[in-house]
């Protein structure tokens, strides 16, 4: 017998077709969600059909079912609970307008704070995620196509605005701090497309720690960026542009050399406010292509980290590209544009994507630890599909 509030799907469905709330609530427990809601002042003033806690999980469900309509996502979120408990027999499926209003009431801050509260490093000390005592992390940026509305374009910008040929969609830029060995995003900053990644980087400084070795590409270096990042206590390993002047002050037995960076040429001539660095130079040949690399690091003692080791470690920086591919190509889906039509909705949706990616990566990390395997040997795509089709346990919350 059909239940009140149930919308008959266009195709036959089973219980296993519904979202596994256990994946989300395991990483983002209801008590933590409630704590963040209270802290950000996003709690509802009265009982509503779509309370704040439910909407937090709904935003994450949107990131699991990126191609589904608002109503289909809500049905996927709640259908499993109805099948198990019968709790929603008198619950009416909200309209798209009601869902939009509930998302607006929730706002973007809750999702950003929830991600910051929960998204912590996953690799265990002594695992492949570490080099000696340093946790290997990488920083880089990516961009996401967002709904083509005047508000989104004004706030986030659109590629190609300086030319006659413009991008089909506005874009938001995301700068992420990623744990190399687990692909877990443990820090993120969102800004407009025209905002340089280097200008966004200070937003990640609070996520840096003295236990980390932070790797970054050559676009991130500036004197002040290096100085401020080193002040967090984290060890740094960044690639430098060929145009950067790095005088050889002392050659070292491992082939590296000590040098210094300065705020400007005048400061270098006067040897004022120098920051000591160590430089590693090497060449990589792949087929007929040859690439020259020049890295600088805050680790000045070659015995603590030989040049050969650092050159090999820097190659792991590219794991961040695989992480972004998981989020954009597999989780979001190729060609999928974020659905939110307002700037706040876009920000909320992006952090929903980041929360879901972290939930999946934390699950993979737990399984990898249990079987003593490398987390990167487990398929992200298969984990994502399992989360979409299974409800593995009794739901952990009541909306």
């Amino acid at each position: 017998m059909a239940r009140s509030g149930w919308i008959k799907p266009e195709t036959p469905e089973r219980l296993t077709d519904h979202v596994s709330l256990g994946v989300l609530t395991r990483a983002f427990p209801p008590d933590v969600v409630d704590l963040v809601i209270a802290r950000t002042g996003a709690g509802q003033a009265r009982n509503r059909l779509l309370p704040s806690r439910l909407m937090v999980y709904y935003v994450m469900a949107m990131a699991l079912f990126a191609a589904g309509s608002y109503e289909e996502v809500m049905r996927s979120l709640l259908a499993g609970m109805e099948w198990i408990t019968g709790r929603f027999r008198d619950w009416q499926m909200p309209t798209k307008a009601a869902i939009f209003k509930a998302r607006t009431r929730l706002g973007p801050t809750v999702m950003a704070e929830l991600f910051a509260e929960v998204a912590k490093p996953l690799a265990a000390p002594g695992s492949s995620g570490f080099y000696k005592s340093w946790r290997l992390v990488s920083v880089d940026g990516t961009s996401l196509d967002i709904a083509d509305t005047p508000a989104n374009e004004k706030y986030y910008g659109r590629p190609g605005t300086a030319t006659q040929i413009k991008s089909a969609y506005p874009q938001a830029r995301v700068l992420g701090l990623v744990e190399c060995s687990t692909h877990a995003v443990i820090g993120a900053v969102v800004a407009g497309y025209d905002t340089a990644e280097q200008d966004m980087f200070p937003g990640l400084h609070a996520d840096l720690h003295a236990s980390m070795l932070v790797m970054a590409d050559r676009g991130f270096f500036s004197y002040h960026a290096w100085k401020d990042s080193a002040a967090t206590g984290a060890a740094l390993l960044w690639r430098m542009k060929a145009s950067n002047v790095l005088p050889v002050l002392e050659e070292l037995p491992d082939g590296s050399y000590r040098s210094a960076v300065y705020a400007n040429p005048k400061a270098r001539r006067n040897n004022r406010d120098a920051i000591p660095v160590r430089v590693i130079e090497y060449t990589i040949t792949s087929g007929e292509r040859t690439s020259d690399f020049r890295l600088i690091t805050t680790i000045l003692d070659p015995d603590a980290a030989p040049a050969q080791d650092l050159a090999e470690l820097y190659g792991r920086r590219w794991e961040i590209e695989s992480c972004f591919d998981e989020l954009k190509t597999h989780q979001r889906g190729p060609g999928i544009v974020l659905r939110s039509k307002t700037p706040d909705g876009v920000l909320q949706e992006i952090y929903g994507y980041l929360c879901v990616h972290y939930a999946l990566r934390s699950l993979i990390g737990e399984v990898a630890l249990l079987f003593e395997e490398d987390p990167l040997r487990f398929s992200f795509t298969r984990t994502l599909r399992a989360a979409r089709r299974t409800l593995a346990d009794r739901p952990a919350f009541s909306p």
Side-chain angles (χ1 to χ4, degrees):
M1 178 181 295
R3 299 186 175 101
S4 176
W6 174 267
I7 296 178
K8 184 178 180 180
E10 295 180 0
T11 58
E13 292 187 325
R14 302 168 300 172
L15 179 61
T16 54
D17 292 326
H18 301 295
V19 59
S20 174
L21 290 174
V23 173
L24 302 181
T25 58
R26 189 181 187 91
F28 299 91
D31 58 338
V32 175
V33 172
D34 290 344
L35 176 67
V36 174
I37 288 173
R39 191 168 65 207
T40 57
Q44 65 272 17
R46 57 186 176 86
N47 289 332
R48 295 182 180 273
L49 178 67
L50 298 172
S52 299
R53 185 201 285 181
L54 175 63
M55 291 310 299
V56 167
Y57 289 105
Y58 176 79
V59 171
M60 287 191 269
M62 284 171 48
L64 265 179
F65 299 97
S69 69
Y70 283 104
E71 295 90 343
E72 288 170 343
V73 172
M74 183 62 73
R75 184 166 64 245
S76 295
L77 181 64
L78 295 178
M81 290 189 290
E82 162 62 1
W83 279 61
I84 290 177
T85 68
R87 191 174 296 169
F88 301 101
R89 292 179 181 178
D90 298 323
W91 193 83
Q92 298 296 317
M93 180 63 66
T95 64
K96 180 179 178 180
I99 294 172
F100 173 79
K101 289 179 181 179
R103 285 189 60 201
T104 302
R105 286 195 303 269
L106 184 68
T109 306
V110 172
M111 301 307 300
E113 289 287 330
L114 182 63
F115 174 77
E117 179 77 19
V118 174
K120 306 301 180 185
L122 300 174
S127 69
S128 63
F130 281 76
Y131 171 71
K132 297 187 177 180
S133 63
W134 289 293
R135 183 184 303 273
L136 303 178
V137 299
S138 182
V139 60
D140 208 346
T142 189
S143 57
L144 297 169
D145 289 338
I146 60 179
D148 190 3
T149 66
N152 282 349
E153 180 175 8
K154 181 179 180 180
Y155 188 88
Y156 289 103
R158 184 192 301 261
T161 53
T163 67
Q164 293 182 349
I165 302 176
K166 297 184 179 181
S167 172
Y169 296 98
Q171 290 185 355
R173 192 178 296 281
V174 181
L175 186 69
L177 180 68
V178 172
E179 189 175 43
C180 296
S181 66
T182 65
H183 288 182
V185 183
I186 55 177
V189 180
V190 181
Y193 177 81
D194 294 331
T195 305
E197 293 173 357
Q198 186 185 90
D199 294 334
M200 298 167 67
F201 189 39
L204 292 177
H205 283 169
D207 298 305
L208 303 185
H209 190 268
S211 64
M212 295 178 176
L213 175 60
V214 183
M215 296 178 282
D217 205 0
R218 50 194 165 191
F220 284 91
F221 177 81
S222 73
Y223 175 84
H224 292 290
W226 182 264
K227 179 180 178 181
D228 294 343
S229 300
T232 67
L236 308 180
L237 180 65
W238 294 9
R239 189 178 178 184
M240 296 289 281
K241 295 179 180 178
S243 58
N244 291 116
V245 178
L246 293 170
V248 179
L249 302 181
E250 180 187 359
E251 294 185 352
L252 299 170
D254 67 341
S256 63
Y257 61 90
R258 290 198 175 99
S259 185
V261 293
Y262 301 85
N264 51 58
K266 183 177 180 180
R268 183 169 58 251
R269 288 194 298 270
N270 297 328
N271 195 26
R272 187 177 68 246
D273 299 326
I275 301 177
V277 298
R278 182 163 144 247
V279 183
I280 300 98
E281 296 179 337
Y282 58 99
T283 299
I284 293 180
T285 301
S286 178
E288 297 181 355
R289 182 178 179 181
T290 299
S291 299
D292 294 325
F293 284 76
R294 184 165 58 153
L295 311 179
I296 62 171
T297 181
T298 56
I299 306 172
L300 302 181
D301 183 0
D303 292 332
Q308 179 70 28
D309 288 0
L310 293 179
E312 292 176 357
L313 288 174
Y314 188 77
R316 298 185 63 180
R317 191 197 77 81
W318 302 107
E319 292 294 347
I320 196 170
E321 300 296 339
S322 298
C323 170
F324 289 152
D325 180 68
E326 291 171 357
L327 193 147
K328 295 173 64 174
T329 304
H330 302 288
Q331 182 181 328
R332 180 197 61 177
I336 298 294
V337 178
L338 299 193
R339 68 185 84 203
S340 302
K341 294 179 172 55
T342 67
D344 280 353
V346 168
L347 186 60
Q348 181 191 77
E349 189 175 357
I350 288 174
Y351 276 103
Y353 269 86
L354 291 169
C355 286
V356 169
H357 184 273
Y358 183 82
L360 297 173
R361 271 292 156 197
S362 64
L363 176 61
I364 291 173
E366 289 180 18
V367 175
L369 182 62
L370 180 65
F371 289 94
E372 299 182 346
E373 291 281 356
D374 183 348
L376 300 187
R377 292 179 62 86
F378 290 80
S379 170
F380 177 83
T381 303
R382 291 182 63 183
T383 306
L384 174 63
R385 289 171 180 167
R388 284 173 173 165
R389 72 172 180 262
T390 63
L391 197 155
D393 199 359
R394 181 175 296 272
F397 73 94
S398 165

